[in-house]
Amino acid sequence: MASSHTVLMRLVASAYSIAQKAGTIVRCVIAEGDLGIVQKTSATDLQTKADRLVQMSICSSLARKFPKLTIIGEEDLPPGEVDPELIEDGQWEEILTQPCPSQYSAIKEEDLVVWVDPLDGTKEYTEGLLDNVTVLIGIAYEGKAIAGIINQPYYNYQNNEKEKLREHGNEAQAGPDAVLGRTIWGVLGLGAFGFQLKEAPAGKHIITTTRSHSNKLVTDCISAMNPDTVLRVGGAGNKIIQLIEGKASAYVFASPGCKKWDTCAPEVILHAVGGKLTDIHGNALQYNKEVKHMNSAGVLAALRNYEYYASHVPESVKNALIP
């Protein structure tokens, strides 16, 4: 039966189930109480047991079903045996009922590059800001992000706060009946699903930006946009969700700290609903397997009125950020 579906839609359906498994792993690591934190390049660049286990789960699960894929994950992990319990073989059947956009129907497995961020918002995860955390699986073809899956392991977390505190006395644990987590997915030319699209208040400039990687370039760029409000939160996935749910009108990050695995999946979701994500110069981001991993010219994104924000980026900021 599976052979009657296109490679792309089978991959998206599998990635959806794999992302849900990833969300469960993220919650389990917290529940067990040992995050296994290691510092990578700096005090704000961390890796946890969840980062490691989720990347092993996603990459191994995808590689088993799609052996010709190019898969690029954030974490540099040594090769080795993967616990069978980390493998997810399922696929989300509902996705297979959707038509594959005609321009992608003949894509071969070996033509696709998958960018994986096993835990976007790791620093926030270690600090208990769990609603900032996402798992990102982005799929690219000919350098362009065309399909994406975002799992929010702790979606609904704030709504369950009182219940959790009452049952456990610990804000980082969920009650046994708490309905936590959701998975958002999208394919260019088909749409994005798993959330309710909402626009930010008209006429307001609500800018979401980095919580832990700010600098003078970032603040100069935001100031030039005359913001009504600035939201400082963790995770690129989280920031794009703020755009599509009307909590922010632009995502501005005038700094080279963001990577391809941070933006590939979220970009698809935003583009699928009519938004736009580029670097600070307005260039499209490239996702072919040979590309450098760093988004060295920053990120600028908006659901609506992208041109307003693009036109307000100072020349001094553009000159400082080389694509």
Side-chain angles (χ1 to χ4, degrees):
M1 179 66 189
S3 61
S4 67
H5 299 288
T6 63
V7 167
L8 179 63
M9 297 311 284
R10 285 194 295 115
L11 176 57
V12 174
S14 294
Y16 185 104
S17 292
I18 290 165
Q20 288 198 305
K21 169 97 167 185
T24 302
I25 295 169
V26 170
R27 290 190 294 269
C28 284
V29 169
I30 283 246
E32 288 165 3
D34 177 15
L35 294 184
I37 301 168
V38 295
Q39 191 169 304
K40 294 198 288 185
T41 60
S42 70
T44 57
D45 186 17
L46 305 175
Q47 183 195 83
T48 68
K49 182 180 178 182
D51 293 87
R52 298 185 287 275
L53 291 179
V54 169
Q55 180 157 312
M56 283 189 271
S57 175
I58 294 173
C59 295
S60 300
S61 299
L62 285 174
R64 281 192 177 201
K65 292 184 89 167
F66 304 94
K68 295 177 183 174
L69 279 183
T70 297
I71 305 169
I72 302 172
E74 174 177 6
E75 306 306 335
D76 188 13
L77 301 177
E81 287 298 308
V82 175
D83 186 333
E85 287 190 12
L86 293 176
I87 302 297
E88 173 56 61
D89 288 323
Q91 57 188 12
W92 198 248
E93 296 297 332
E94 193 177 310
I95 291 174
L96 295 177
T97 67
Q98 300 279 351
C100 180
S102 57
Q103 66 268 37
Y104 304 136
S105 59
I107 289 177
K108 298 184 177 70
E109 211 175 285
E110 55 267 36
D111 297 333
L112 294 167
V113 181
V114 179
W115 293 86
V116 176
D117 190 337
L119 193 68
D120 184 39
T122 299
K123 187 167 187 291
E124 287 68 29
Y125 181 66
T126 67
E127 295 170 3
L129 297 169
L130 302 178
D131 49 336
N132 285 210
V133 171
T134 58
V135 175
L136 306 175
I137 304 175
I139 300 166
Y141 171 64
E142 295 184 338
K144 184 177 180 180
I146 64 164
I149 297 91
I150 301 177
N151 179 272
Q152 274 183 295
Y154 286 93
Y155 174 72
N156 226 10
Y157 172 68
Q158 300 297 352
N159 293 340
N160 287 290
E161 200 73 13
K162 289 177 185 173
E163 175 191 343
K164 290 183 293 181
L165 289 169
R166 184 175 67 249
E167 292 189 11
H168 294 277
N170 182 339
E171 65 172 295
Q173 292 182 351
D177 301 319
V179 181
L180 277 181
R182 67 170 169 178
T183 302
I184 292 169
W185 68 279
V187 177
L188 289 191
L190 179 63
F193 309 89
F195 65 98
Q196 192 68 46
L197 182 66
K198 186 179 177 186
E199 296 192 19
K204 289 281 188 186
H205 300 304
I206 305 169
I207 293 179
T208 184
T209 191
T210 183
R211 177 175 167 265
S212 53
H213 300 282
S214 195
N215 57 37
K216 188 175 185 300
L217 277 181
V218 173
T219 54
D220 285 353
C221 192
I222 291 170
S223 296
M225 294 171 178
N226 306 309
D228 294 289
T229 310
V230 178
L231 307 174
R232 298 188 184 281
V233 299
N238 181 37
K239 294 180 187 75
I240 295 301
I241 290 170
Q242 287 185 316
L243 296 185
I244 62 176
E245 293 194 324
K247 292 171 186 158
S249 41
Y251 166 23
V252 180
F253 186 47
S255 181
C258 202
K259 309 285 201 316
K260 296 292 190 266
W261 44 72
D262 294 309
T263 51
C264 188
E267 174 181 319
V268 173
I269 306 300
L270 184 63
H271 285 180
V273 293
K276 188 168 182 179
L277 184 150
T278 66
D279 70 12
I280 283 297
H281 299 269
N283 301 317
L285 300 183
Q286 297 297 312
Y287 295 97
N288 49 295
K289 61 187 174 186
E290 296 87 7
V291 80
K292 63 181 178 182
H293 296 167
M294 182 80 74
N295 291 324
S296 54
V299 177
L300 178 65
L303 176 62
R304 304 286 180 259
N305 304 318
Y306 167 88
E307 294 305 328
Y308 169 86
Y309 298 101
S311 68
H312 281 72
V313 176
E315 286 302 316
S316 58
V317 171
K318 290 182 180 178
N319 293 338
L321 294 172
I322 309 302

